[in-house]
């Protein structure tokens, strides 16, 4: 079987990726390739490094959002992403080649405006770059270029899996609630970012053989760390009834 799993960004909503992988594993299905951007890139890399969904969930729950968002005064961003994510990246090996499952990490090149794909060589820097939400996190320099969140250009890098997997599953953790009533600057800023990234996933959604977008995440905000366990549990409850048909489809595609 060759299952490629494309994982979107989405802040704390990316915990839903752990629930999806947990359900797949319980049904005897394991991805042969991962692609990911932003939080999806971090989770894909940790999974490919041998961490279980439950182990990663524990890491997430141990992190304080105030500690994560410790300010660093810079003209490029408010927060040092390397320091913020050290509790996660310390569990990653030095190189992509050291992972047990191939991973494609995407990050946006500030100079070219293109979403570049990283799959070999140094691992941590591309993962950090992929997680650099503009304004919040300082960009990461790779070579002579600066990189920011891959989700700015492509929040579902399913295209990176074309030719590598005979079945591509996309998991997008940013469903849009259509009863939105927010009026504050913060709420409107988050809503604007959500709408923008939803617009850029349409092309890659068509690449996927199956596309999962847990509707139970509609009311979850990017940094609502206190809802970590709830996100995980609700996503599993949402996905479990779909697993028999989904597993049959995946295995059928595997031939």
């Amino acid at each position: 079987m060759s299952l490629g799993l494309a994982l979107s960004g989405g802040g704390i909503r990316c915990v839903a990726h752990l629930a999806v992988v947990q359900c797949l594993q319980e049904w005897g299905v394991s991805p042969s390739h991962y692609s990911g951007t932003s939080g999806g890139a971090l989770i894909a890399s940790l999974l490919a490094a041998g961490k279980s969904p439950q182990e990663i969930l524990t890491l997430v729950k141990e992190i304080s959002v105030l500690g994560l968002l410790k300010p660093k005064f810079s003209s490029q961003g408010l927060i040092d992403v390397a320091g913020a994510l050290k509790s996660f990246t310390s569990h990653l090996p030095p190189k992509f080649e050291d992972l047990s499952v191939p991973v494609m990490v995407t990050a946006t090149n500030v100079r070219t405006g293109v979403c570049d794909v990283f799959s070999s060589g140094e691992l941590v820097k591309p993962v950090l770059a992929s997680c650099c939400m503009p304004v919040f996190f300082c960009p990461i320099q790779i070579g002579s270029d600066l990189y920011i969140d891959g989700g700015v250009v492509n929040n579902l890098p399913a295209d990176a899996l074309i030719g590598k997997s005979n079945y591509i599953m996309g998991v997008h953790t940013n469903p849009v609630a259509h009863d939105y009533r927010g009026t504050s600057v913060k709420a409107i800023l988050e809503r604007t970012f959500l709408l923008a990234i939803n617009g850029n996933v349409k092309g890659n959604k068509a690449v996927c053989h199956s596309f999962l977008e847990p509707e139970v995440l509609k009311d979850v905000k990017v940094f609502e760390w206190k809802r970590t366990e709830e996100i995980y549990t609700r996503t599993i409850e949402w996905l479990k009834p779909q697993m028999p048909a989904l597993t049959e489809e995946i295995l059928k595609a595997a031939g």
Side-chain angles (χ1 to χ4, degrees):
M1 181 191 69
S2 177
L3 167 64
L5 195 59
L7 305 181
S8 75
I12 194 59
R13 293 182 292 243
C14 288
V15 165
H17 295 318
L18 301 175
V20 170
V21 173
Q22 180 67 38
C23 285
L24 287 171
Q25 290 179 350
E26 288 177 0
W27 279 80
V29 177
S30 295
S32 60
H33 296 77
Y34 288 102
S35 68
T37 197
S38 199
L42 179 61
I43 285 178
S45 299
L46 287 167
L47 288 166
K51 291 291 181 183
S52 70
Q54 283 292 336
E55 287 173 329
I56 300 171
L57 182 65
T58 298
L59 288 176
V60 176
K61 291 195 291 188
E62 288 174 349
I63 297 294
S64 160
V65 71
L66 294 178
L68 180 74
L69 303 181
K70 191 176 295 182
K72 173 187 177 182
F73 297 101
S74 166
S75 61
Q76 295 181 327
L78 298 174
I79 302 158
D80 173 24
V81 70
L85 299 183
K86 187 175 181 181
S87 296
F88 299 106
T89 57
S90 62
H91 295 276
L92 297 178
K95 296 183 178 181
F96 279 92
E97 290 81 0
D98 298 322
L99 297 171
S100 60
V101 177
V103 173
M104 276 64 71
V105 169
T106 63
T108 302
N109 186 311
V110 175
R111 177 180 59 84
T112 64
V114 172
C115 199
D116 291 341
V117 180
F118 299 87
S119 59
S120 63
E122 185 179 358
L123 173 62
V124 173
K125 264 196 173 183
V127 170
L128 291 175
S130 187
C131 293
C132 284
M133 184 183 294
V135 181
F136 286 102
F137 293 119
C138 303
I140 291 290
Q141 183 169 345
I142 300 177
S144 60
D145 288 325
L146 290 176
Y147 285 86
I148 57 173
D149 197 320
V152 171
V153 174
N154 180 2
N155 201 44
L156 188 70
D159 52 333
L161 296 169
I162 296 174
K164 297 179 173 62
S165 305
N166 57 10
Y167 188 95
I168 298 174
M169 177 186 292
V171 186
H172 191 244
T173 61
N174 303 282
V176 175
H178 297 294
D179 57 349
Y180 175 77
R181 293 290 184 272
T183 57
S184 70
V185 172
K186 180 183 176 184
I188 292 173
L189 181 62
E190 184 171 347
R191 177 71 171 183
T192 301
F193 189 69
L194 178 64
L195 293 174
I197 61 177
N198 267 272
N200 75 38
V201 305
K202 290 180 180 178
N204 275 332
K205 180 179 178 180
V207 168
C208 301
H209 297 89
S210 60
F211 177 78
L212 303 179
E213 188 177 65
E215 59 186 25
V216 294
L217 304 178
K218 283 183 178 180
D219 65 333
V220 180
K221 295 180 175 61
V222 173
F223 294 118
E224 280 196 289
W225 232 256
K226 63 183 179 181
R227 300 181 69 179
T228 297
E229 183 69 39
E230 178 191 347
I231 293 166
Y232 183 80
T233 302
R234 287 173 67 181
T235 304
I236 283 186
E237 291 172 351
W238 172 82
L239 184 57
K240 270 191 172 180
Q242 304 174 53
M243 285 307 299
L246 190 58
T247 303
E248 182 180 358
E249 184 180 323
I250 294 170
L251 295 177
K252 184 178 179 181

